[in-house]
Amino acid sequence: IIIGSDLTYNSGTWRVLAETMGAALKPNGFVVYLSLGHSGFNVSGELAGFLSVLESEGLEVIDEKSPRWPLKGVVSSMSQLLASCVNPSEKVVLDANGGARVVILARKQRR
């Protein structure tokens, strides 16, 4: 488990972080990436930009429709998982600051 804070706030670090995630992953491993909004920060824009870098490094988002979804029988989506971890007062703060996004990442499978 690797936990970090403000890892993608500076877009100049995205490639190095993507390379590190790819190198740290076991062949069938997953990365759970969480980004929280805060004042003056567009969480959706940051995530979209970082995901494009991740894809260029050979990683992809695994969503609940994928046969590779690792949380089958646990949660039906990352939104559901995130909602279950946030109490009402925390939700108010998150919503006021751009919300939160969480995705599961894995190495792209060769076809």
Side-chain angles (χ1 to χ4, degrees), residues 29-62:
F30 295 94
V31 172
V32 177
Y33 177 77
L34 169 69
S35 183
L36 301 173
H38 51 81
S39 181
F41 179 71
N42 182 327
V43 70
S44 294
E46 171 267 333
L47 183 59
F50 183 52
L51 290 179
S52 68
V53 172
L54 286 166
E55 289 177 8
S56 74
E57 293 297 325
L59 297 173
E60 65 182 347
V61 173
I62 305 299

Side-chain angles (χ1 to χ4, degrees), residues 22 24-31 62 68-70 104-110:
L25 273 176
K26 291 184 178 184
N28 293 316
F30 295 94
V31 172
I62 305 299
R68 296 175 67 197
W69 179 248
I104 293 181
L105 306 163
R107 285 195 182 109
K108 289 182 183 174
Q109 288 187 326
R110 294 187 179 144

Side-chain angles (χ1 to χ4, degrees), residues 91-110:
K91 183 176 182 342
V92 169
V93 173
L94 283 174
D95 289 348
N97 289 292
R101 307 294 182 277
V102 61
V103 293
I104 293 181
L105 306 163
R107 285 195 182 109
K108 289 182 183 174
Q109 288 187 326
R110 294 187 179 144

Side-chain angles (χ1 to χ4, degrees), residues 2-11 13-14 17 21 33 46 50:
I2 300 171
I3 298 173
S5 176
D6 287 334
L7 296 174
T8 52
Y9 185 74
N10 177 352
S11 61
T13 64
W14 291 355
L17 179 59
M21 286 178 171
Y33 177 77
E46 171 267 333
F50 183 52

Side-chain angles (χ1 to χ4, degrees), residues 62-74:
I62 305 299
D63 66 21
E64 58 273 5
K65 297 175 198 107
S66 170
R68 296 175 67 197
W69 179 248
L71 300 172
K72 284 182 178 81
V74 179

